[in-house]
Amino acid sequence: MNWKRALLTDSGGFQMVSLLHLADITEKGVTFQSPVDGKRMLLTPEESIQIQNKIGADIIMALDDVVKTTTIGPRVEEAMYRTLRWIDRCLAAHQKPAVQNLFGIVQGGLDPVLRDICLRGLVERNLPGYAIGGLSGGEDKDSFWRVVAQCTAALPEDKPRYVMGVGYPLDIVVCSALGADMYDCVYPTRTARFGTALIPEGVLKLKHKVMASDERPIDPTCSCMVCKNYTRAYIHCLVTKDAMGSQLLSYHNLSYMMRLSRDLHTSIVEGRFPQFVQGFLRAQFPKGDVPKWVCNAMEVAGIDISACCAPLTSSQN
Amino acid sequence: MRFVVTKACGGGGRARAGSLYVGCCPTPIETPCLLLSTRKGLPTFVSPDLLASLPSPESRLLHVSPLHFLECPSPRTISNIGGLHRMLGLHECIFVAAPRDSIESLPESEGTNKLGPSFETPCGRRLVKPKEYMDMISSLKPNLWASLADEVPAWVSEKRNKTSVDRTLRWLDDCLALDLESGANTLGAIVGGSCVEERKRCATEVAMRNVSGFWIGGFGLGEGMEERPALLNAVTDGLPEKKLRQISGLTLPEEVLQGVAAGIDLFESTYIYHLTLGGFALTFPLDIVERDILHSQLSDTGSDCTKINLRATVYRKDTTPIVENCSCFTCQNHTRAYINHLLNVHEMLAQILLEIHNTHHYLAFFHSIRKAIKGGKFDLFHQRFMEGRRAYVTSAVGCS
């Protein structure tokens, strides 16, 4: 790829389970139907690590048994224990521990007891970093933040915490407040391909007819190449119709995410994180209608956002 | 805009080298040159920041079709933004506006009537009248623009062909009447189909108008390669030496060479676009006059040494660049194997990398044409190139 910067590879597990409709998980590994020729194939923890060793990324992920958060019953417990057994197989198969950092993934669904067992198991193995997996799959936000909070509380302070599959800017701000460090998500580029731009106020739907005559840049506060050179009107005529539209919007959305990360980082370093969060929420919720789950999460995180939330007793009385 | 012929081929040949000076571009464009095709003003795949990595100033000459903006933005919005250069963030690029783009604005002669030419576009069939067209031109503010033409396929009747010339001349006058610059940036459109007399008549008539150059249309619509030189010469015969000549519809290298031989300066070509979509990368050698290539080698892939198809499985593990020593971004940074992989997993990066290489290579082809003209060796270059292309066909036949 001729990429000289940092690289992270996933194990392939999630992609198989989410993208292939014929995937079967056994103790050996994940059996699936090859998308190329339909042949039956098996991805084991050993093979996943071997492939990741060959690719040579700086951070590699263990193969975990991941279930949808909406799953209930004994399957969740089975997946959690299997994940722990597989992490040992991954560690044994890992050829380059000195240059490639193998992260373990905390599973356990939405069950705090299962999560706790998994957390202990992984922390015991003293891994270079930890991922919080099994989230961002349709669970309600209230359950989502509680799992993240539980994990960040139990994971070591001096190792990275990576919330997989997150996500929306709001989710990233909340998870960061709860002590997470790393994220990955298709959202910025996928939403760009559908004509949606990320801005401090939330989202801007460039496809909307009203954009056809809007001569402002996507985001006047953004200094990316797209916002410095193009108007909403021009981008409107490209989106969903031309490859260049997807490119330009993706470029802006990724710039937005990088700016958000940089701002989060700097505000923490400069000791004004709560103010940053307040500013962020005010831009997204100018009427003060911050969702309850965010308020609850911020309370647990120790961030005072009362200034951004509309008072409960409004002038309706 | 200023155009100067710097070298005429002489010896009966019409090929010439020239220099095109346009205000916004700091260095002159040397001709014969290629216009890069665009979609709504930007290249199809190469993003504006990567456009800077292509050779300058040749890659700053862009063809734009006003018909791409039929739906949006409105001429009013485009005017408010400040025209093409502001809207696209390409302040040093030279934009030549011509309605036909051979990809998604196709002349549709059956829908054309006396009021204006008809085109097949993604928004359906559209008739464009001179007034509407000039509204778009005045809001887009391209550096040069071609007048409206009634382009007909090679097989129409004599009567229809003659009508196309009459209409094209009338629309030129209509456009000029509405032009605030009085023809200073106008390329008068010339048609005439496959009839030498009509071609001559149209060219002579357009040459009498106060235009700064000529846009030659109606080619690439069914005429044969053998009949083309006579038609091209019939056009350039009727045109003043000193003014710029641009042509649409000659896309392949062989066709471009025909145009150069007839004295054409600028070429609109969709070759790069079609190559890129097909997963092809140009590989043909550029130093033809220096080398003596009468025997080309057939490789295992059955390719003809003009281009390779990177979808072929033979490139799965090929860690060489598309062309050794090519200085384009793609060849300097990536391998055939990587592009093969990108094509297999349907990543847009494949098209971006291919468009960069193909543009670079085709621009280099034009550079070697100019070099041959300046060295007085264009006819030899033309001949050698055609022999090289035919060699693989004859050697393939010999093998069977």
Side-chain angles (χ1 to χ4, degrees):
Chain A
M1 295 188 317
N2 196 18
W3 180 256
K4 309 259 191 311
R5 303 183 193 176
L7 262 181
L8 182 154
T9 48
D10 198 1
S11 60
F14 177 76
Q15 284 73 22
M16 284 189 299
V17 166
S18 63
L19 300 177
L20 301 169
H21 55 242
L22 266 184
D24 191 29
I25 305 177
T26 62
E27 190 59 30
K28 264 204 297 209
V30 184
T31 7
F32 59 101
Q33 223 182 12
S34 162
V36 177
D37 56 10
K39 242 174 36 181
R40 238 177 142 59
M41 299 185 71
L42 173 69
L43 184 71
T44 59
E46 288 78 13
E47 193 172 342
S48 170
I49 296 301
Q50 197 183 45
I51 296 170
Q52 292 187 77
N53 279 154
K54 287 207 189 111
I55 296 174
D58 307 278
I59 298 174
I60 66 176
M61 305 305 296
L63 184 66
D64 54 342
D65 185 358
V66 50
V67 293
K68 292 207 283 254
T69 34
T70 43
T71 314
I72 49 171
R75 174 74 188 105
V76 186
E77 185 175 357
E78 178 195 45
M80 185 276 290
Y81 280 114
R82 182 169 290 141
T83 295
L84 284 176
R85 290 194 290 279
W86 281 1
I87 184 73
D88 287 332
R89 286 169 60 183
C90 288
L91 283 162
H94 188 19
Q95 300 273 334
K96 304 187 191 164
V99 289
Q100 292 185 277
N101 298 280
L102 174 58
F103 280 26
I105 307 177
V106 181
Q107 295 293 349
L110 301 175
D111 183 340
V113 173
L114 294 177
R115 284 277 173 180
D116 186 55
I117 298 169
C118 202
L119 279 160
R120 283 177 206 279
L122 290 177
V123 172
E124 233 165 57
R125 282 142 173 97
N126 198 23
L127 302 167
Y130 300 93
I132 302 166
L135 294 175
S136 75
E139 71 281 351
D140 66 289
K141 285 295 199 256
D142 202 53
S143 315
F144 160 74
W145 79 261
R146 286 174 205 283
V147 172
V148 174
Q150 182 192 359
C151 292
T152 53
L155 289 168
E157 287 288 312
D158 60 346
K159 304 244 176 100
R161 297 97 170 265
Y162 165 26
V163 189
M164 304 186 81
V166 167
Y168 300 124
L170 180 60
D171 295 2
I172 288 178
V173 171
V174 170
C175 291
S176 301
L178 292 170
D181 310 295
M182 292 163 59
Y183 308 92
D184 83 279
C185 196
V186 298
Y187 177 63
T189 45
R190 175 176 290 167
T191 210
R193 292 196 299 276
F194 288 108
T196 300
L198 299 176
I199 55 172
E201 292 77 14
V203 299
L204 193 68
K205 299 219 156 100
L206 272 308
K207 255 172 56 171
H208 213 276
K209 266 205 148 64
V210 72
M211 296 289 147
S213 54
D214 194 333
E215 296 156 32
R216 295 172 288 175
I218 291 172
D219 176 8
T221 68
C222 179
S223 58
C224 81
M225 181 227 357
V226 178
C227 292
K228 288 226 281 255
N229 287 290
Y230 301 100
T231 54
R232 297 172 181 195
Y234 181 67
I235 306 279
H236 165 83
C237 78
L238 289 178
V239 288
T240 72
K241 296 204 202 88
D242 296 295
M244 188 56 66
S246 299
Q247 279 199 58
L248 293 178
L249 259 192
S250 293
Y251 190 107
H252 163 77
N253 283 359
L254 290 174
S255 301
Y256 173 86
M257 298 306 289
M258 286 165 66
R259 180 166 61 133
L260 176 64
S261 313
R262 203 167 40 240
D263 289 347
L264 282 166
H265 176 90
T266 318
S267 71
I268 295 170
V269 163
E270 292 177 3
R272 47 175 181 81
F273 180 69
Q275 289 92 306
F276 176 80
V277 173
Q278 286 158 18
F280 178 87
L281 291 174
R282 254 188 236 112
Q284 300 241 331
F285 305 102
K287 294 195 212 134
D289 50 339
V290 179
K292 194 102 187 18
W293 71 272
V294 176
C295 299
N296 295 341
M298 288 303 177
E299 202 179 346
V300 165
I303 307 289
D304 177 15
I305 55 163
S306 51
C308 329
C309 300
L312 289 172
T313 52
S314 62
S315 48
Q316 300 164 337
N317 289 352
Chain B
M1 185 283 266
R2 198 166 62 91
F3 176 68
V4 170
V5 176
T6 54
K7 170 101 187 198
C9 219
R14 298 158 182 245
R16 77 255 196 98
S19 290
L20 178 63
Y21 298 84
V22 178
C24 58
C25 186
T27 28
I29 302 268
E30 290 191 34
T31 64
C33 193
L34 171 73
L35 285 112
L36 301 187
S37 47
T38 63
R39 195 164 278 196
K40 291 167 186 154
L42 289 180
T44 319
F45 299 106
V46 181
S47 52
D49 52 339
L50 286 176
L51 191 57
S53 75
L54 285 168
S56 185
E58 308 96 281
S59 61
R60 307 289 181 265
L61 187 60
L62 305 179
H63 167 224
V64 64
S65 169
L67 306 191
H68 291 181
F69 304 105
L70 277 174
E71 293 283 277
C72 56
S74 65
R76 180 120 171 270
T77 305
I78 297 176
S79 285
N80 289 346
I81 294 172
L84 272 174
H85 296 80
R86 291 288 302 276
M87 185 167 70
L88 305 170
L90 296 174
H91 305 277
E92 290 186 359
C93 281
I94 299 172
F95 289 99
V96 182
R100 170 186 175 191
D101 77 351
S102 307
I103 301 172
E104 52 174 43
S105 297
L106 307 164
E108 207 296 299
S109 59
E110 280 174 30
T112 297
N113 60 35
K114 63 183 179 190
L115 297 174
S118 174
F119 295 87
E120 285 293 357
T121 75
C123 318
R125 196 179 278 193
R126 299 291 286 259
L127 190 93
V128 182
K129 300 180 193 169
K131 172 86 179 50
E132 187 192 351
Y133 184 64
M134 291 311 291
D135 274 345
M136 288 196 271
I137 295 293
S138 65
S139 68
L140 290 167
K141 296 208 271 277
N143 299 96
L144 292 168
W145 58 272
S147 61
L148 292 173
D150 182 6
E151 294 181 87
V152 294
W155 53 80
V156 298
S157 69
E158 257 185 58
K159 184 173 175 214
R160 177 68 184 88
N161 192 30
K162 184 179 178 302
T163 308
S164 76
V165 172
D166 296 334
R167 283 179 185 161
T168 302
L169 292 170
R170 188 156 39 82
W171 294 334
L172 168 58
D173 292 334
D174 291 345
C175 288
L176 283 173
L178 295 162
D179 181 30
L180 299 166
E181 309 292 323
S182 315
N185 304 321
T186 312
L187 301 174
I190 299 169
V191 291
S194 304
C195 173
V196 168
E197 288 76 31
E198 284 300 302
R199 282 281 175 188
K200 207 167 263 182
R201 174 170 81 98
C202 198
T204 325
E205 283 291 325
V206 175
M208 292 197 256
R209 270 74 169 169
N210 186 22
V211 291
S212 62
F214 307 98
W215 182 86
I216 304 163
F219 284 100
L221 292 174
E223 77 285 357
M225 274 202 77
E226 307 74 31
E227 58 180 318
R228 202 180 283 140
L231 295 167
L232 289 169
N233 289 339
V235 172
T236 51
D237 270 345
L239 300 179
E241 291 283 314
K242 293 192 270 211
K243 288 191 180 174
L244 185 66
R245 300 111 173 237
Q246 176 170 322
I247 195 163
S248 170
L250 301 188
T251 44
L252 300 174
E254 297 90 327
E255 299 175 321
V256 166
L257 288 171
Q258 282 186 320
V260 173
I264 311 283
D265 310 300
L266 294 182
F267 294 81
E268 293 164 31
S269 170
T270 55
Y271 193 40
I272 294 168
Y273 173 78
H274 288 113
L275 286 167
T276 303
L277 280 198
F280 290 93
L282 286 174
T283 55
F284 64 80
L286 298 164
D287 51 353
I288 309 171
V289 174
E290 291 80 6
R291 291 213 270 156
D292 186 5
I293 48 155
L294 286 174
H295 307 284
S296 67
Q297 311 89 344
L298 275 178
S299 67
D300 291 335
T301 60
S303 86
D304 52 10
C305 301
T306 58
K307 57 190 177 291
I308 54 174
N309 186 340
L310 284 157
R311 291 181 200 274
T313 49
V314 69
Y315 298 113
R316 246 167 32 106
K317 298 186 185 177
D318 188 340
T319 53
T320 62
I322 295 171
V323 170
E324 290 290 343
N325 301 320
C326 175
S327 56
C328 82
F329 177 90
T330 304
C331 291
Q332 290 292 305
N333 288 289
H334 295 292
T335 61
R336 296 171 174 197
Y338 185 55
I339 299 175
N340 173 269
H341 164 70
L342 291 173
L343 286 165
N344 283 333
V345 296
H346 312 293
E347 280 290 332
M348 200 194 305
L349 184 58
Q351 281 75 36
I352 299 172
L353 294 177
L354 285 174
E355 190 172 66
I356 289 175
H357 170 78
N358 288 333
T359 303
H360 187 101
H361 200 94
Y362 213 29
L363 285 175
F365 172 65
F366 277 82
H367 179 89
S368 52
I369 291 176
R370 292 192 292 272
K371 189 166 158 200
I373 295 174
K374 288 185 216 168
K377 294 187 184 160
F378 175 70
D379 286 337
L380 177 62
F381 178 92
H382 191 175
Q383 184 199 337
R384 285 259 170 91
F385 189 89
M386 298 307 290
E387 280 166 4
R389 301 290 254 214
R390 285 181 196 136
Y392 96 89
V393 175
T394 51
S395 65
V397 167
C399 286
S400 61

